[in-house]
Amino acid sequence: MKEFELINRYFKGRGITRRDVNLGIGDDCALVTVPQNCQLAITTDTLVAGVHFFDDIAPRALGHRVLAVNLSDLAAMGAEPTWVSVALTLPNIDVEWLEEFTEGMHEIAEYFNVQIIGGDTTQGPLSITICAKGIVPEGKALRRSGAKIGDWIYVTGPLGDAGLAIEARKQGLNIAPEHLRYVNQRFDYPTPRVAAGQVLRGFASSAIDISDGLLADLGHIVGMSQVNASINVNNIPTSDAMRATLKRDQQLPFILNYGDDYELLFTVPDSNKSMLEMKLRQYGVDASCIGQIKSGEGLIELMLDGNKLEYDRTGFEHFTKESV
Amino acid sequence: MKEFELINRYFKGRGITRRDVNLGIGDDCALVTVPQNCQLAITTDTLVAGVHFFDDIAPRALGHRVLAVNLSDLAAMGAEPTWVSVALTLPNIDVEWLEEFTEGMHEIAEYFNVQIIGGDTTQGPLSITICAKGIVPEGKALRRSGAKIGDWIYVTGPLGDAGLAIEARKQGLNIAPEHLRYVNQRFDYPTPRVAAGQVLRGFASSAIDISDGLLADLGHIVGMSQVNASINVNNIPTSDAMRATLKRDQQLPFILNYGDDYELLFTVPDSNKSMLEMKLRQYGVDASCIGQIKSGEGLIELMLDGNKLEYDRTGFEHFTKESV
């Protein structure tokens, strides 16, 4: 199969058609129209075989995942996802694989009303790079740098499930079949918190998606906002699967350090707290208040059962390195 | 070196800063503003080691090249390049390599006033994916599908130099040192015809950049425009290096089938011909009229010395397969 045929078969004329796409797949460039009084938000993420996913990943899950991790970055800015470009490097043309991979991609694209407007298909070691674009009303984007002293710290959804899925595959944890199914679903088909991100606009002072782990990503917020954070570990939400599988001490690395959950972490000024909580309930978004922003220069304090948690610093490597 | 450090050292705070970039490298997304009454043009191209470039390519040339091939697609739409995202997959961190690679990238970005607004750095087999964005006045973009019967066919610059460079490396052609330097420069540091593309807006009826070879890319225009083309091969511009190195018959595959020249191929209605030629001279753009659009359904006729050129069909594989 030639590149041209592959694009025609799996991309062109499939998926949704947005009215703001003036020219889609098939020319030198795609052409789109950004609405007035909106800024364009742009993000890029690459997934490489053997590095970012297991070789035995279901192609449908991979197609879903690569789009999800990009849409999650748009969600973290409070942007509405609109268009994506797909650069696909394949070792060979495997028709069955491509069918499932693109099915997974088109499913999530349709769900979020996103159009695949173009891309590139090349031969080489398996990797996928997405460049996702979205729109956000002028001046309303959620940045990492906006957290202020006294702001409350929130996360959506339970944390640590993706980590549990990874460890279950690696070392075979003692986990009940229904819980394993749940964490595998969470890992394979992560849901970018797009609606939550848009609700946060105008209420939250900063936001980030949890891709590298709670402490690593909170580290970006406190580092860029030049503040400290105090987290009550007891308030970090966990799933039934997590609580049924691991004792609380064992849960800590999963909820604090594992990434890949793609939940949103955000800060809210006290004056917006009750209004935002009402809005989140209204939109069916689960979010938990897990701490507060303090004065300081980028440190995170962890409290567990009312005591300061002394945590092995090696667990923080990613965070400490990046927050300096 | 961590990803964070790598980005800070080689990307953040280097290169130009555009006023329409509201937020650059360092958050979940970049934020930019598209001017009113402009459309956004978007293109993506991947270069994979061993497939799109020789392993011994100078890293500075690679950095230049990967941006150039993307800007060339914007040029072919008549767009003004503005912002690029860079997804870089590296087998390891080689400081010297990275310094030269990013130098090559920043040089061409600065020349064309393009800002690197974000990206991703991952570990894996060497490949680079760029997503380039540009702006074009509403309704003025040059598409592949606009060629009409009677339109004149033009190309910028001489063709075949990149192919000559490739063959000189592969099989050691008998080529004079000064000519070898010239074709290597043309291959390693291709110049996207950005200014030419913008001059063409309002005059040309269709355009494409020559990345796959004259016949392949003209095949896209005649296929999408549902017309035929007649090309006078005698009028295809060649360089001194080409004419000094190969006899005319030997030149044919280079000027007709080799790609990687990144010149523009475009069609012009007869009523715009003299005005466009004046404009091109004014902007210092070399362009040659090489033929005319005829009625038909996607075929190309080649004339050489007044005779129809019967050309080995295998030389057309890419074109015939894609134009059907």
Side-chain angles (χ1 to χ4, degrees):
Chain A
M1 196 183 309
K2 293 258 160 194
E3 180 183 4
F4 192 71
E5 206 186 320
L6 188 157
I7 291 165
N8 270 351
R9 188 146 144 193
Y10 296 108
F11 291 103
K12 210 174 168 180
R14 275 184 64 178
I16 63 143
T17 308
R18 290 178 59 99
R19 291 185 58 181
D20 53 15
V21 175
N22 310 111
L23 187 62
I25 294 170
D27 213 303
D28 292 297
C29 295
L31 291 172
V32 298
T33 301
V34 175
Q36 273 187 36
N37 306 319
C38 276
Q39 286 169 305
L40 179 69
I42 303 169
T43 183
T44 295
D45 263 312
T46 302
L47 298 187
V48 181
V51 178
H52 300 96
F53 54 90
F54 299 107
D55 285 338
D56 63 351
I57 190 171
R60 188 168 151 258
L62 183 60
H64 175 102
R65 185 180 185 74
V66 69
L67 210 54
V69 303
N70 278 278
L71 299 187
S72 182
D73 281 320
L74 290 171
M77 296 298 282
E80 177 193 331
T82 47
W83 319 294
V84 295
S85 311
V86 180
L88 190 53
T89 302
L90 300 169
N92 51 55
I93 305 286
D94 177 337
V95 171
E96 212 171 305
W97 189 95
L98 264 169
E99 187 61 48
E100 286 186 42
F101 172 80
T102 52
E103 185 62 29
M105 190 174 274
H106 288 302
E107 272 170 7
I108 180 171
E110 283 174 39
Y111 183 83
F112 287 107
N113 196 29
V114 167
Q115 185 170 342
I116 298 173
I117 52 165
D120 192 14
T121 322
T122 51
Q123 210 200 347
L126 179 61
S127 82
I128 311 117
T129 298
I130 300 268
C131 183
K133 277 73 75 172
I135 53 177
V136 59
E138 213 175 300
K140 296 287 181 200
L142 303 166
R143 304 183 179 202
R144 297 175 175 182
S145 55
K148 296 275 183 296
I149 296 164
D151 287 357
W152 298 98
I153 304 168
Y154 282 77
V155 285
T156 61
L159 296 190
D161 290 336
L164 209 53
I166 295 172
E167 288 306 317
R169 286 174 207 201
K170 271 195 198 157
Q171 47 172 294
L173 289 175
N174 186 11
I175 182 169
E178 73 270 25
H179 294 321
L180 184 61
R181 267 198 305 278
Y182 163 82
V183 296
N184 278 339
Q185 178 73 15
R186 288 267 293 164
F187 179 72
D188 286 336
Y189 297 94
T191 305
R193 300 295 173 201
V194 171
Q198 288 174 60
V199 172
L200 296 181
R201 287 192 318 232
F203 297 103
S205 51
S206 73
I208 191 170
D209 67 322
I210 302 183
S211 55
D212 296 336
L214 175 64
L215 294 181
D217 290 313
L218 182 56
H220 291 304
I221 286 188
V222 295
M224 291 178 71
S225 302
Q226 297 190 286
V227 292
N228 278 4
S230 176
I231 296 293
N232 185 346
V233 176
N234 300 73
N235 291 355
I236 299 175
T238 52
S239 64
D240 290 347
M242 175 66 77
R243 289 190 304 275
T245 309
L246 298 176
K247 288 185 210 138
R248 209 184 50 184
D249 278 3
Q250 295 173 310
Q251 293 172 19
L252 294 180
F254 289 87
I255 61 177
L256 295 174
N257 293 111
Y258 265 82
D260 290 321
D261 283 319
Y262 300 102
E263 298 293 344
L264 292 185
L265 171 68
F266 53 95
T267 59
V268 185
D270 190 61
S271 55
N272 290 346
K273 193 172 189 283
S274 53
M275 180 64 99
L276 177 64
E277 288 196 351
M278 202 185 74
K279 280 271 173 199
L280 290 171
R281 270 195 306 275
Q282 201 178 316
Y283 284 86
V285 176
D286 274 328
S288 311
C289 183
I290 61 167
Q292 199 171 17
I293 296 294
K294 310 279 184 186
S295 70
E297 288 184 327
L299 297 180
I300 298 171
E301 177 188 70
L302 298 177
M303 301 299 289
L304 185 67
D305 303 331
N307 301 314
K308 213 163 159 175
L309 179 65
E310 293 299 335
Y311 198 77
D312 182 0
R313 260 198 151 322
T314 57
F316 296 151
E317 194 208 341
H318 196 91
F319 157 57
T320 48
K321 280 272 172 58
E322 296 208 358
S323 69
V324 174
Chain B
M1 197 184 309
K2 292 259 160 194
E3 180 183 3
F4 191 73
E5 206 185 320
L6 187 156
I7 292 165
N8 269 351
R9 188 144 143 194
Y10 296 107
F11 290 103
K12 209 173 167 181
R14 276 185 62 178
I16 63 142
T17 308
R18 290 178 59 100
R19 289 184 59 180
D20 52 16
V21 176
N22 310 111
L23 186 62
I25 294 169
D27 214 303
D28 293 297
C29 295
L31 292 172
V32 298
T33 300
V34 175
Q36 273 186 37
N37 307 319
C38 275
Q39 287 169 305
L40 179 69
I42 303 170
T43 183
T44 294
D45 264 313
T46 302
L47 298 187
V48 181
V51 178
H52 300 95
F53 53 89
F54 299 106
D55 286 338
D56 63 350
I57 189 170
R60 189 170 149 256
L62 183 59
H64 176 102
R65 184 179 187 74
V66 68
L67 209 54
V69 303
N70 277 278
L71 299 186
S72 182
D73 282 320
L74 290 170
M77 297 298 282
E80 176 193 331
T82 48
W83 319 293
V84 295
S85 311
V86 179
L88 189 54
T89 302
L90 300 169
N92 51 55
I93 304 286
D94 177 337
V95 171
E96 212 172 304
W97 189 94
L98 264 169
E99 185 62 46
E100 284 186 44
F101 173 80
T102 51
E103 184 63 28
M105 189 173 275
H106 288 302
E107 270 169 9
I108 179 171
E110 282 173 40
Y111 182 82
F112 287 108
N113 196 30
V114 166
Q115 184 170 343
I116 299 173
I117 53 165
D120 192 15
T121 321
T122 51
Q123 209 198 349
L126 179 60
S127 84
I128 311 117
T129 297
I130 299 268
C131 183
K133 276 74 75 173
I135 52 177
V136 60
E138 214 173 301
K140 296 287 182 201
L142 304 166
R143 303 181 180 205
R144 296 175 176 183
S145 56
K148 296 275 183 296
I149 297 164
D151 287 358
W152 298 99
I153 303 168
Y154 281 77
V155 284
T156 61
L159 297 189
D161 290 336
L164 210 53
I166 295 172
E167 289 306 317
R169 287 174 206 200
K170 273 196 197 156
Q171 46 171 294
L173 290 174
N174 186 11
I175 182 169
E178 73 271 25
H179 294 321
L180 184 60
R181 267 197 305 277
Y182 163 81
V183 296
N184 278 338
Q185 178 74 16
R186 288 268 292 164
F187 179 73
D188 286 336
Y189 297 93
T191 306
R193 298 297 174 201
V194 171
Q198 288 174 60
V199 172
L200 295 180
R201 288 194 316 233
F203 296 104
S205 51
S206 74
I208 192 171
D209 67 323
I210 302 183
S211 54
D212 296 336
L214 175 63
L215 294 181
D217 291 313
L218 182 56
H220 292 303
I221 285 187
V222 295
M224 292 179 71
S225 302
Q226 296 190 283
V227 292
N228 278 4
S230 176
I231 296 294
N232 185 346
V233 177
N234 300 73
N235 289 357
I236 299 175
T238 51
S239 63
D240 290 347
M242 175 66 76
R243 291 189 304 274
T245 309
L246 298 176
K247 287 186 213 138
R248 211 186 45 186
D249 279 3
Q250 297 173 310
Q251 293 172 19
L252 294 180
F254 290 86
I255 61 177
L256 295 173
N257 294 111
Y258 266 82
D260 290 321
D261 282 319
Y262 300 102
E263 298 293 344
L264 292 186
L265 171 69
F266 53 96
T267 59
V268 184
D270 189 61
S271 55
N272 291 345
K273 192 172 188 283
S274 54
M275 181 64 100
L276 177 64
E277 289 197 350
M278 201 185 74
K279 280 273 175 197
L280 290 172
R281 270 195 305 275
Q282 201 178 317
Y283 284 86
V285 177
D286 274 328
S288 311
C289 184
I290 61 167
Q292 201 171 14
I293 296 294
K294 309 281 184 184
S295 70
E297 288 183 328
L299 298 179
I300 298 170
E301 177 188 70
L302 299 177
M303 302 298 290
L304 184 67
D305 303 333
N307 300 312
K308 211 164 158 175
L309 179 65
E310 294 299 334
Y311 199 75
D312 182 1
R313 261 200 154 311
T314 57
F316 296 153
E317 196 208 339
H318 196 91
F319 158 57
T320 49
K321 281 271 172 60
E322 297 210 357
S323 69
V324 173

